[in-house]
Amino acid sequence: MSQSELKDRVTVITGGGTGLGKAMALALAKAGSDIVVAARRTGPIEQTAREVTDLGRKALAVSTDVTDSRQVNHLIETTLSEMGKLDILINNAGIVRGQGRKPIWEITDDEWHLGINTNLTGAFFCCRAVSQYFIERKSGKVINVASGEGLRGVRGNYMYCCAKGGVIQLTRTLAITWAQDNIKVNCIVPGFVDVRELQPEARPQMSPEVAATIQARGAFIPVGHFGCAADIAYLALFLASDASDYITGGIFAADGGGLAGGTTTTGHAPTIPIKEE
Amino acid sequence: MVSEEFSLNGKTALVAGDSRFWSKHVADALAEAGADVAIAASSSQRLKEATAEAERLGRKAVTIPTDMTDPSQVNNMVEQAVADLGKIDILVNAADLEFARPFLEITQDEWQQVMDANLNSIFYSCQVAGKHMLSAKKGRIVNIISCLAERGLSHGSAYCVSMGGVLQLTRALALEWAREGITVNAIGTGWFAETDRTGALDEDRLLRYLPLKRYGHPSEIGSMVVYLASDTTDFVTGQFFYADGGLMAHA
């Protein structure tokens, strides 16, 4: 792990205004990287950019809808013109909205396209936008963010499972296609993570109801509790750094053991009865 | 320099098995990150050299000659490591016996030898070291195995079975000890060499089978061991991570 620092690197992270994306942005900034934060809403990305600047790194917030390839191309062009280069791309933007228990015949064309476009097509657009630049300079790191639901089926979650499964195959295809150009492409599979807490000890005050829900659902995870955003951020740091230079096409789960067993994405037979919602 | 997030200061690691001379590089990476190390393997000149870098870095470093296929010697190995280093926070299993033969020609003895070296040795070391980790309510186990744990290979039946066995041990043990503060993960290795052997391979084979077009250096396994051994991986368990230059992403 001798090269886990990211001094003088430039990272673009989509969905970087909140949650996991913000945690990854701050972890990489702490390790020395300058950060370009992209998401649709300007408020959160400007806040992330301010916190990056507070860590002594350069930061840029670029309002971007990843489902629109013109905006994605603009994001990469702006990064290159403002920051001078780009080393690391983290495709984190995604939505879980528009799924749930709805029967398949009630899913509209728009809902399907929104789910696929945000979670899969957005990552494809970003990779396409950096491709020629990365290939020309013969280096680059791409980190995609998928889900255990991209590896196992979940009842009723059509768009999310399909899109995240697509992200995993996009990772592998890009990895073997770009390997000879020294571009590393890997994928993070977060388990159930309470994204509000960056560190377990910094857990903000939450209502007793929310705390009870998180504790009850944590029983379904082999380690017995939710992860925190830092669990994912440190994995991103490892994959962004030179320490992982021989690693490409890998699917890296940080999920409290869920995918190691069982037949669900939580992979655990808890000792409490399963209740239908 | 190792980022503070991945620091192993104050931790101790036992690297068990050194069939491919990788243990030195794994131990070097652990020592660089701040850990004291013990390396256990069959006695050899290489084993004596293996702790030089760790000592130069100012870490405590010991060697424990061990036949990993002998349960009583594995038991002594763990007790010796605990006696010398005070505790075992990290167990790295790096045993590996390469073996290839047409299936019908494999003798029962050969089959047994492959299982003893690659699978049973890890059963022994996890059991003995695991007791210490369970009482400490904290531990990291990293099994370095081959990507052939998940892929078949002609003439590789015994080897593939042994590696697949360690992978399933990794997953099952991860679940069994998930709430005891112990994580169990495996690293799937591809083509590694201490020296650059790229020129020895014809370009077509490299292009076809090895996307990154170069062998990995054992130190590149070491960096992943450090990640998995660090305090950043409390939520990472039962996983099989490849360090393979893209080999397993390939069709």
Side-chain angles (χ1 to χ4, degrees):
Chain A
M1 193 68 89
S2 53
Q3 302 106 0
S4 52
E5 291 200 343
L6 298 177
K7 205 165 182 301
D8 301 325
R9 307 292 164 86
V10 175
T11 302
V12 167
I13 178 157
T14 66
T18 54
L20 286 184
K22 182 176 181 179
M24 288 190 272
L26 296 178
L28 267 62
K30 200 165 161 246
S33 179
D34 296 332
I35 305 285
V36 179
V37 206
R40 279 169 305 176
R41 290 182 294 149
T42 51
I45 56 175
E46 278 166 4
Q47 176 60 30
T48 301
R50 271 195 295 276
E51 290 181 38
V52 169
T53 311
D54 289 345
L55 289 167
R57 308 310 317 171
K58 279 208 291 193
L60 191 63
V62 183
S63 173
T64 310
D65 179 350
V66 295
T67 66
D68 178 349
S69 65
R70 283 168 306 180
Q71 293 188 40
V72 169
N73 293 341
H74 172 259
L75 164 67
I76 303 303
E77 283 157 16
T78 307
T79 299
L80 293 178
S81 63
E82 297 284 317
M83 308 297 257
K85 63 170 188 158
L86 169 58
D87 303 286
I88 299 151
L89 166 67
I90 303 183
N91 288 309
N92 169 69
I95 49 163
V96 292
R97 191 151 55 80
Q99 48 172 13
R101 303 273 183 224
K102 221 179 209 186
I104 188 168
W105 56 87
E106 286 181 14
I107 296 171
T108 65
D109 293 8
D110 284 348
E111 284 170 339
W112 170 264
H113 286 133
L114 183 65
I116 299 293
N117 287 351
T118 311
N119 291 315
L120 174 58
T121 312
F124 171 77
F125 285 162
C126 291
C127 290
R128 189 176 62 181
V130 302
S131 58
Q132 285 170 305
Y133 173 75
F134 275 180
I135 288 169
E136 215 164 276
R137 73 203 284 263
K138 298 265 178 221
S139 75
K141 296 243 187 192
V142 178
I143 301 168
N144 294 323
V145 179
S147 160
E149 301 189 12
L151 292 160
R152 294 184 181 172
V154 175
R155 184 174 43 169
N157 279 9
Y158 303 97
M159 290 81 81
Y160 198 68
C161 288
C162 292
K164 290 299 189 184
V167 168
I168 285 164
Q169 284 299 71
L170 178 67
T171 302
R172 292 183 176 130
T173 307
L174 288 175
I176 60 172
T177 309
W178 287 352
Q180 57 188 306
D181 295 308
N182 194 35
I183 302 161
K184 317 292 156 61
V185 189
N186 290 290
C187 186
I188 293 176
V189 173
F192 290 104
V193 172
D194 184 355
V195 296
R196 289 165 306 176
E197 48 175 334
L198 215 53
Q199 302 283 356
E201 58 270 24
R203 183 188 286 265
Q205 289 297 316
M206 61 178 80
S207 69
E209 293 77 24
V210 172
T213 304
I214 285 182
Q215 195 177 12
R217 292 196 178 165
F220 287 81
I221 301 169
V223 295
H225 56 80
F226 273 54
C228 65
D231 294 320
I232 310 302
Y234 293 138
L235 179 51
L237 178 54
F238 172 65
L239 292 174
S241 73
D242 294 350
S244 59
D245 261 358
Y246 197 61
I247 297 162
T248 192
I251 313 302
F252 293 82
D255 68 345
L259 289 164
T263 53
T264 71
T265 46
T266 57
H268 192 62
T271 50
I272 60 171
I274 296 169
K275 275 189 297 191
E276 281 293 333
E277 282 180 3
Chain B
M1 185 185 154
V2 179
S3 296
E4 60 180 299
E5 288 86 352
F6 302 114
S7 166
L8 302 178
N9 281 334
K11 295 188 193 297
T12 66
L14 168 60
V15 183
D18 188 34
S19 314
R20 288 173 292 197
F21 308 125
W22 293 354
S23 297
K24 174 194 156 33
H25 301 286
V26 172
D28 288 355
L30 290 164
E32 196 198 352
D36 292 336
V37 292
I39 304 179
S42 314
S43 185
S44 72
Q45 190 56 39
R46 292 292 298 261
L47 186 56
K48 290 182 195 110
E49 295 163 8
T51 53
E53 177 65 10
E55 280 165 358
R56 194 188 65 76
L57 290 164
R59 311 295 173 220
K60 198 164 188 184
V62 296
T63 57
I64 308 171
T66 307
D67 175 358
M68 293 291 296
T69 64
D70 178 348
S72 69
Q73 289 196 36
V74 173
N75 194 62
N76 290 340
M77 166 188 83
V78 170
E79 298 313 324
Q80 187 67 47
V82 171
D84 288 345
L85 303 179
K87 56 177 179 164
I88 297 181
D89 299 306
I90 301 151
L91 169 67
V92 182
N93 287 307
D96 179 86
L97 174 64
E98 288 188 359
F99 180 79
R101 196 180 289 283
F103 183 64
L104 290 183
E105 294 173 17
I106 302 172
T107 67
Q108 286 181 14
D109 275 353
E110 285 169 337
W111 181 272
Q112 190 60 49
Q113 277 172 29
V114 175
M115 297 310 147
D116 282 344
N118 291 349
L119 176 57
N120 296 345
S121 63
I122 292 170
F123 163 64
Y124 306 142
S125 66
C126 287
Q127 211 170 44
V128 188
K131 276 181 203 158
H132 288 277
M133 292 179 178
L134 282 169
S135 56
K137 280 270 178 190
K138 190 160 178 60
R140 294 276 191 263
I141 297 176
V142 181
N143 296 323
I144 300 176
I145 56 177
S146 163
C147 283
L148 290 177
E150 281 197 337
R151 295 275 170 94
L153 181 70
S154 179
H155 297 183
S157 54
Y159 187 78
C160 291
V161 166
S162 69
M163 289 292 145
V166 179
L167 177 56
Q168 284 298 74
L169 175 68
T170 301
R171 290 173 172 150
L173 204 49
L175 294 177
E176 193 162 325
W177 289 347
R179 299 186 183 191
E180 310 293 338
I182 301 169
T183 67
V184 190
N185 291 289
I187 296 175
T189 57
W191 298 359
F192 280 80
E194 285 185 297
T195 52
D196 182 11
R197 286 167 56 188
T198 309
L201 278 169
D202 70 80
E203 197 70 0
D204 284 351
R205 277 182 63 201
L206 266 178
L207 259 178
R208 184 169 171 197
Y209 295 115
L210 195 50
L212 277 190
K213 288 172 69 179
R214 69 171 176 92
Y215 277 89
H217 186 272
S219 63
E220 295 178 296
I221 301 171
S223 58
M224 195 187 262
V225 172
V226 170
Y227 167 68
L228 289 172
S230 74
D231 285 338
T232 68
T233 53
D234 283 345
F235 204 55
V236 180
T237 192
Q239 290 304 311
F240 188 32
F241 291 159
Y242 309 138
D244 69 347
L247 209 54
M248 291 291 280
H250 214 282

